[in-house]
Amino acid sequence: MALADHHQRIHPVTDVEPPPPQLAPPLNRPSPLLGKDGHHQILPPKKRRSCLCRCLCCTFCVILLLLIIVGAVVGILYLVFKPKIPTFSIDSLNISDLQLNFDMSLYARFDVKITTYNPNEKIGIYYEKGGVLSVWYTENKLCEGSLPVFYHGHGNKTTLDVVLTGRTVYGSTLMAALVEQQRTGRIPLQLRAVAPVAVKLGKLKLKKVKILGNCLLVVDSLTANNAITIKASNCKFRLKL
């Protein structure tokens, strides 16, 4: 029995859970938005700028290519057709009427004969509606008239008879200046022409343009129903697109 008392009682040992492993302290790594010094970092911009530059470059190249093609076509057409501006000459200028009215306005009627020549061998010219021919003394328009509508074939000469009429206010002052100028036997006049035309290349009718003409004349007299001599004539013409 004594031995029994010396026996130690053995109690069952309960399972004890091991303590959770301690996490290692986080490393002091810089945030992707922070720099090493802790300040905010500016991220590089996306590649939008490069895409925009690429689009602009492509657009510029396309425009440049189109301009080169148009220039080449125009150059070829110029070499093939060799376009020239038609010429005009004033054959005669007659005054049917030039008088003062009761309201002191000046009435004028001129009859002008013009010869026009188309020097182009492969280009025809359509003279469209709206052409105007006018006579000026200094900056005063004496009269004007409409140019006829017709087709001018290549290498062709055509004579035009144009009637010009007009009424100018303050005619007494203008008439006195014309009478004083007539005493010298040299009266400067100016003929201005505006002719809308369409050019025909072969069977192709191109866009309408304008021929602008300016003729400086010197006549000896402005007496109505008398022969008038043109002492000098200088005409210049240009195209207006």
Side-chain angles (χ1 to χ4, degrees):
M1 298 297 291
L3 292 174
D5 293 336
H6 288 284
H7 285 288
Q8 294 182 355
R9 293 181 181 179
I10 299 174
H11 298 282
V13 180
T14 59
D15 296 333
V16 179
E17 294 182 0
Q22 292 184 357
L23 299 176
L27 299 176
N28 191 14
R29 294 180 180 176
S31 171
L33 297 178
L34 298 177
K36 293 181 180 180
D37 55 356
H39 293 84
H40 285 282
Q41 242 182 352
I42 299 177
L43 297 177
K46 296 181 180 180
K47 296 185 178 180
R48 294 180 181 175
R49 192 173 298 175
S50 61
C51 294
L52 179 60
C53 292
R54 192 178 303 149
C55 292
L56 291 177
C57 184
C58 292
T59 303
F60 176 77
C61 291
V62 171
I63 294 176
L64 181 61
L65 181 61
L66 290 176
L67 291 177
I68 293 174
I69 293 174
V70 171
V73 172
V74 172
I76 292 172
L77 290 177
Y78 182 85
L79 292 176
V80 171
F81 292 97
K82 298 178 181 179
K84 298 176 183 178
I85 299 177
T87 60
F88 298 82
S89 61
I90 310 300
D91 298 334
S92 64
L93 175 65
N94 296 320
I95 300 177
S96 301
D97 200 351
L98 184 65
Q99 63 177 349
L100 282 173
N101 297 319
F102 291 107
D103 59 358
M104 303 307 294
S105 62
L106 179 64
Y107 175 77
R109 172 175 172 147
F110 287 23
D111 299 318
V112 183
K113 180 174 288 188
I114 302 172
T115 297
T116 175
Y117 171 63
N118 180 9
N120 298 283
E121 298 178 357
K122 301 178 181 179
I123 298 177
I125 301 174
Y126 290 93
Y127 286 82
E128 306 283 351
K129 186 178 180 181
V132 177
L133 180 67
S134 56
V135 176
W136 296 69
Y137 174 72
T138 62
E139 293 301 320
N140 299 283
K141 182 167 66 174
L142 300 178
C143 51
E144 69 176 14
S146 298
L147 293 172
V149 177
F150 68 100
Y151 173 72
H152 203 185
H154 48 80
N156 181 265
K157 282 187 178 182
T158 302
T159 301
L160 307 176
D161 293 314
V162 186
V163 177
L164 315 178
T165 59
R167 192 182 303 272
T168 309
V169 297
Y170 307 111
S172 58
T173 303
L174 182 57
M175 189 67 174
L178 290 172
V179 171
E180 183 67 23
Q181 189 72 51
Q182 184 167 303
R183 292 175 182 174
T184 65
R186 297 180 65 87
I187 305 171
L189 296 178
Q190 186 178 22
L191 267 70
R192 301 178 185 177
V194 179
V197 300
V199 178
K200 183 181 180 183
L201 301 178
K203 295 183 179 181
L204 179 63
K205 188 176 180 180
L206 300 183
K207 180 182 177 182
K208 185 185 298 185
V209 296
K210 287 184 178 181
I211 295 178
L212 304 181
N214 190 0
C215 291
L216 301 179
L217 304 179
V218 177
V219 298
D220 64 340
S221 173
L222 289 180
T223 305
N225 297 320
N226 284 335
I228 297 176
T229 302
I230 299 177
K231 292 187 173 183
S233 175
N234 182 16
C235 296
K236 296 181 179 180
F237 300 90
R238 63 185 179 90
L239 283 179
K240 181 180 179 181
L241 301 179

